[in-house]
Each structure stands twice: as C-alpha cells, then as structure tokens.
C-alpha cells in the first residue's frame, strides 16, 4: 500500500466577537488561491459567525481553517482535540475588548489539549486610525509573561484583514507550521 491517507490538519481561528476572524479567513483563502499576485480589492461583507465556518487552504497540503464564532467561547474547548494549530485574533483597534481577549487567550493557552499546539496571535485591524501598536498591545496583554509561561510556541503578528497587511506572513506561518507535515 503506497502512502497512507493522513487526516487534514485543522487550524482553529478564535477570538472575541468582532475581531475580524471571518474576513481574515476569506482573505487568506483569496490570497492563497491567487498566489498573492492579484489585488485583494474591496473586502466582502461579513456577518458575525454564529457557529463555525470552514475554509480549506492548500499549503501545498490541504489545511482546514475552522473559525469559531466569538459568542461560542464557552464551547470552544469541544474543538480543541482536532486542533493542529491556532490563530487567535485580537481587535487592536478596540481597547474595550483587550481584557476579554486576554482572558480568552489565557484560557485557550491553559487548555491541556492545546499544550503543544503552535499559536499565532494576530493583532488585527491595524488599518484603522485608532489601532494600538504592537508594543502597546504586548504591554496590555503582558505578552512577555504569557509567552514565558506558555507551553506552546507563540508567534505574534500585526495584520489587517481589510487591506491585506500581514496576511502573506500568516500564510507563511501556516505553511511552515502545517503545510508540509508528513
């Protein structure tokens, strides 16, 4: 028997409601299928996710992004068992969400099934004039403490799902993390 079919790795996309998870997933798919050569154009309209959205990317291996609505926070844990990587999206333009985002992030990082799962934290919406810089966000989140106490590898990027800033780096991280698992 030549090669055993391996299950498709799943990357959970989590974060508080309104952080930009849906648009992020759509833009990643758009960039991935167009190989990043075309203009992204106007962002499509999105609605808050109630439930889950699935997006497949070829990196070159197929990877499934499973975006869970922010309102589903209390049951996110039921999806951790299938998780191979995690994107945690934070709205960097909404200071009122920082504390709830931090609490959710700490909860996710302390979950036993995710103890070794690579995590990419995205400070999103940096295209908005009122966004907080990565230095401000790291300070508010006490990111140095979080990274030093976490058991999983953590990477941090600034992104704008609206204008595409940082999305090539997200795809690069996904490729390096999941795209060529054998």
């Amino acid at each position: 028997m030549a090669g055993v079919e391996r299950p498709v790795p799943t990357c959970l996309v989590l974060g508080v409601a309104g952080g930009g998870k849906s648009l992020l997933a759509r833009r990643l798919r758009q960039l991935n299928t167009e190989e990043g050569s075309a203009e992204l154009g106007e962002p499509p309209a999105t609605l808050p996710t109630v439930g889950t959205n699935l997006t497949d990317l070829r990196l070159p291996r197929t990877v499934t992004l499973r975006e869970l609505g922010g309102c589903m926070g209390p049951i996110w844990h039921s999806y951790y068992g299938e998780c191979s990587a995690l994107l945690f999206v934070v709205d960097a333009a909404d200071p009122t969400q920082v504390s709830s985002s931090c609490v959710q992030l700490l909860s996710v990082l302390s979950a036993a099934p995710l103890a070794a799962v690579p995590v990419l934290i995205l400070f999103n919406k940096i295209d908005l004039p009122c966004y907080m810089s990565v230095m401000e966000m790291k300070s508010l989140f006490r990111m140095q403490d979080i990274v030093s106490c976490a058991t999983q590898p953590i990477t941090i990027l600034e992104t704008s799902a609206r204008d595409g800033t940082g999305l090539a780096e997200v795809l690069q991280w996904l490729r390096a993390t999941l795209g060529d698992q054998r």
Side-chain angles (χ1 to χ4, degrees), residues 25-105:
R26 284 188 184 183
R27 292 299 210 184
L28 288 173
R29 184 180 64 219
Q30 189 179 359
L31 272 176
N32 189 246
T33 55
E34 297 171 0
E35 296 303 320
S37 59
E39 285 292 312
L40 283 175
E42 281 300 305
T46 58
L47 295 170
T49 301
V50 178
T52 184
N53 286 331
L54 299 175
T55 304
D56 284 340
L57 302 176
R58 296 213 34 91
L59 301 172
R61 177 182 188 188
T62 299
V63 171
T64 299
L65 295 182
R66 179 182 290 275
E67 175 211 343
L68 301 176
C71 64
M72 291 179 59
I75 63 163
W76 284 352
H77 63 87
S78 59
Y79 293 90
Y80 293 169
E82 67 183 45
C83 182
S84 303
L86 175 72
L87 299 181
F88 192 88
V89 182
V90 178
D91 184 343
D94 187 353
T96 65
Q97 296 265 5
V98 169
S99 61
S100 58
S101 289
C102 191
V103 167
Q104 281 188 327
L105 176 62

Side-chain angles (χ1 to χ4, degrees), residues 108-127:
V108 166
L109 293 176
S110 64
L114 300 177
V117 170
V119 177
L120 178 59
I121 299 171
L122 302 175
F123 293 129
N124 194 31
K125 300 190 181 183
I126 62 165
D127 58 300

